[in-house]
Amino acid sequence: MARSIPPQAAATPASGRSDVPSPAESMPTPEYLEARLAELAEQAGIPGASIAVRVGDRTVAAAVGVLDTEFDHPATTDSLFQVGSITKVWTTTLVMQLVDEGLIDLDAPVRTYLPDLRLVDEDASALVTIRHLLCHTGGFEGELYDDFGPGHDALELMTAGLATRGEQLFPPGSTFSYCNSGFDLLGRVVEVLTGRTWETALRERIVAPLGLTHVANDAAESILHRTAIGHLGGADGPVKAPIHHMSRAGGPSGGMLAMSASDLLEFAAAHVRRGLLPDGTRLLSEASALAMREPQVEIIGDGRLGRSWGLGWNLYDWPGEAVIGHDGGTIGHSAMLRVVPSREFSIALLTNGGALYLAYDLVRELLGSLGGVEVPDLPAPPAEPVSIDADYVVGTYASPALIVDVAETEDGLTVTSRVHGPIAEIVGEGSGTSRVVAADARTLITAEREGGRHPMYVFLGDGAQAEFLHVGRAMRRVRGTDAERGAAASA
């Protein structure tokens, strides 16, 4: 059951009706946010967290825990946390600025701006458009985390590397599959058209106009602030991540950007105002700001990412007001942003540990009381058993970053996930096994909650066996039944 939120000191609303609370009256106190966040962070084993809530021009913020378990520096409301893939909304904003300037046509092939672009599939290289990249329908492999060094040419080298890395999973424009490398490619487009590095363009075109003071794009900038260090789960509690941030080539998709929760909401406020800044100038045209909220493609999955994708934004179809947002995660950081434009409401939750969704109830409380949104429960296993064809789902599915084994055991189906490739070189090749049950004929869901939710696994393909496992991004089947596994092992 959702909790009620203690209001700030009451004031008579502008309407004159004393029985209808104004948004200002309903704003939670910093003390309430701190107490609730501390409770949830302790349950989740999160070292530190920062939250900010904004209605109109008013922001309330709180922070709990520590920035670093080794040195116990306390988290404060101006501390910087990495926002991960929320960066994609910032990169989209840069792209839409260039649309406003007449430098980009969303439906033009990417080769219009990067003539030398080569993907592993030549047809896709010629057909993929800027719009495809913005809404994750480029169809090529997105989990590519190779390090191209810290130099200004990192994105240029990354782009050249797409000719030989990954595979084309789907024709451009046909299927949603979350694609980090597509947003890094957009970062390169920004560099070519502005004559600036992506980081410089971000600072000149977004950070400076918004007047943000607690934003950093790498360790050299972060060290000037109170900065959170990422933490991974360990046997005895959170363990400091072995790196500060991901490689520079992954910046536009979310590998580096860090900020305070309040500064993140200043950015969100510009989108609430449809691109208008407080001084009357524009970050974006109204047309571009609204275009970012228009559905582009239906999302495959459990609804955690929303039901459709706009340009950069996740779009949620919950009862009540329209909600836009994005989640983010890097090595040891998790972040959540939700915005209700019609209510001028936004909330940012940033942590330096995992299990972000254990704080889902707090976000839901605030969205309900201030945003007028009825946030549904997260998906859970069905109350009554659902049948699924084990032969259809059992097998091994892989991307360049993750291998997932779906197996049939005496106790039912299990899913074992293990990282590999560049990510495994950073965090190690750990694995985890979950017991799963059928949610429907093409979907598995974990029997137990993990990180505050029940992860879901969707299977695609019309044959006797699934061709893809879809977990927000698609992973191709590389092995099938146990018999086929044995044959492959013998070979």
Side-chain angles (χ1 to χ4, degrees):
M1 180 179 297
R3 302 188 183 198
S4 60
I5 299 175
Q8 298 274 23
T12 301
S15 65
R17 288 181 56 192
S18 59
D19 60 329
V20 180
S22 69
E25 287 182 59
S26 302
M27 285 286 276
T29 65
E31 293 78 14
Y32 175 80
L33 290 179
E34 182 177 342
R36 286 287 284 126
L37 191 57
E39 172 189 352
L40 295 167
E42 182 176 2
Q43 292 175 7
I46 294 173
S50 180
I51 189 169
V53 178
R54 180 174 177 127
V55 177
D57 294 329
R58 182 181 177 189
T59 299
V60 177
V64 300
V66 297
L67 301 176
D68 183 325
T69 54
E70 182 178 359
F71 299 109
D72 286 339
H73 297 305
T76 60
T77 55
D78 61 358
S79 296
L80 273 58
F81 291 77
Q82 291 180 34
V83 299
S85 286
I86 295 173
T87 304
K88 291 180 174 68
V89 186
W90 295 61
T91 297
T92 303
T93 300
L94 289 174
V95 169
M96 298 307 288
Q97 287 177 338
L98 296 174
V99 170
D100 288 341
E101 295 166 22
L103 297 177
I104 283 181
D105 177 346
L106 292 180
D107 296 307
V110 179
R111 275 186 174 173
T112 305
Y113 315 103
L114 303 177
D116 296 330
L117 174 67
R118 296 289 184 276
L119 304 175
V120 292
D121 182 279
E122 176 55 29
D123 289 341
S125 303
L127 294 174
V128 67
T129 67
I130 298 293
R131 188 184 300 274
H132 291 151
L133 300 184
L134 287 172
C135 56
H136 300 283
T137 58
F140 55 93
E141 180 58 64
E143 302 301 286
L144 304 173
Y145 297 107
D146 300 82
D147 189 344
F148 291 93
H152 290 342
D153 60 351
L155 285 174
E156 181 179 6
L157 294 173
M158 182 283 304
T159 300
L162 292 175
T164 57
R165 297 159 62 236
E167 64 170 318
Q168 191 70 31
L169 301 170
F170 308 101
S174 66
T175 305
F176 171 85
S177 182
Y178 194 85
C179 187
N180 285 304
S181 53
F183 269 80
D184 296 330
L185 185 56
L186 286 168
R188 179 57 184 159
V189 172
V190 169
E191 290 189 333
V192 169
L193 294 181
T194 64
R196 300 281 196 271
T197 65
W198 174 82
E199 296 88 354
T200 300
L202 193 81
R203 187 159 291 281
E204 292 179 350
R205 288 172 162 263
I206 299 179
V207 176
L210 286 172
L212 305 182
T213 56
H214 291 80
V215 175
N217 235 326
D218 56 28
E221 291 183 355
S222 292
I223 202 171
L224 302 175
H225 303 270
R226 300 180 62 90
T227 300
I229 304 300
H231 293 77
L232 304 172
D236 299 320
V239 177
K240 282 177 63 173
I243 61 171
H244 176 270
H245 60 264
M246 305 281 283
S247 70
R248 186 171 183 179
S253 64
M256 303 172 68
L257 189 62
M259 65 192 68
S260 68
S262 294
D263 269 12
L264 178 54
L265 295 192
E266 286 289 344
F267 168 78
H271 281 274
V272 168
R273 294 189 297 263
R274 303 182 179 186
L276 189 67
L277 297 176
D279 65 1
T281 61
R282 283 201 163 272
L283 187 72
L284 281 178
S285 70
E286 182 173 2
S288 286
L290 291 176
M292 288 176 62
R293 308 178 197 172
E294 289 297 316
Q296 303 290 316
V297 62
E298 183 177 346
I299 295 176
I300 299 171
D302 59 10
R304 180 174 56 93
L305 299 178
R307 292 300 179 189
S308 59
W309 209 281
L311 300 176
W313 287 113
N314 298 27
L315 309 178
Y316 302 86
D317 60 352
W318 299 330
E321 306 294 331
V323 180
I324 59 178
H326 213 293
D327 290 347
T330 61
I331 303 296
H333 292 263
S334 295
M336 183 187 297
L337 173 65
R338 298 290 183 270
V339 184
V340 186
S342 64
R343 294 291 186 100
E344 298 185 1
F345 167 81
S346 55
I347 178 173
L349 175 62
L350 313 178
T351 77
N352 61 347
L356 178 69
Y357 273 78
L358 281 173
Y360 188 75
D361 283 346
L362 175 57
V363 174
R364 178 161 57 179
E365 290 169 16
L366 296 167
L367 277 166
S369 63
L370 299 176
V373 177
E374 184 182 334
V375 182
D377 291 334
L378 291 169
E384 298 295 330
V386 176
S387 63
I388 194 167
D389 181 359
D391 286 340
Y392 180 74
V393 299
V394 165
T396 299
Y397 306 81
S399 76
L402 187 67
I403 298 173
V404 176
D405 290 299
V406 182
E408 188 174 17
T409 73
E410 292 181 355
D411 297 324
L413 293 170
T414 62
V415 170
T416 300
S417 302
R418 61 187 187 275
V419 296
H420 71 128
I423 297 295
E425 295 174 5
I426 297 171
V427 302
E429 296 185 352
S431 65
T433 298
S434 303
R435 187 170 65 89
V436 292
V437 298
D440 59 42
R442 296 293 178 93
T443 307
L444 297 174
I445 186 169
T446 62
E448 307 297 331
R449 285 164 63 99
E450 299 176 2
R453 64 186 184 92
H454 293 270
M456 296 182 75
Y457 304 86
V458 180
F459 297 84
L460 307 179
D462 296 327
Q465 294 181 327
E467 184 179 0
F468 293 97
L469 165 62
H470 204 296
V471 287
R473 61 269 289 157
M475 305 170 63
R476 190 183 294 278
R477 173 190 288 271
V478 294
R479 294 179 186 169
T481 64
D482 290 341
E484 291 170 320
R485 292 168 189 255
S490 298

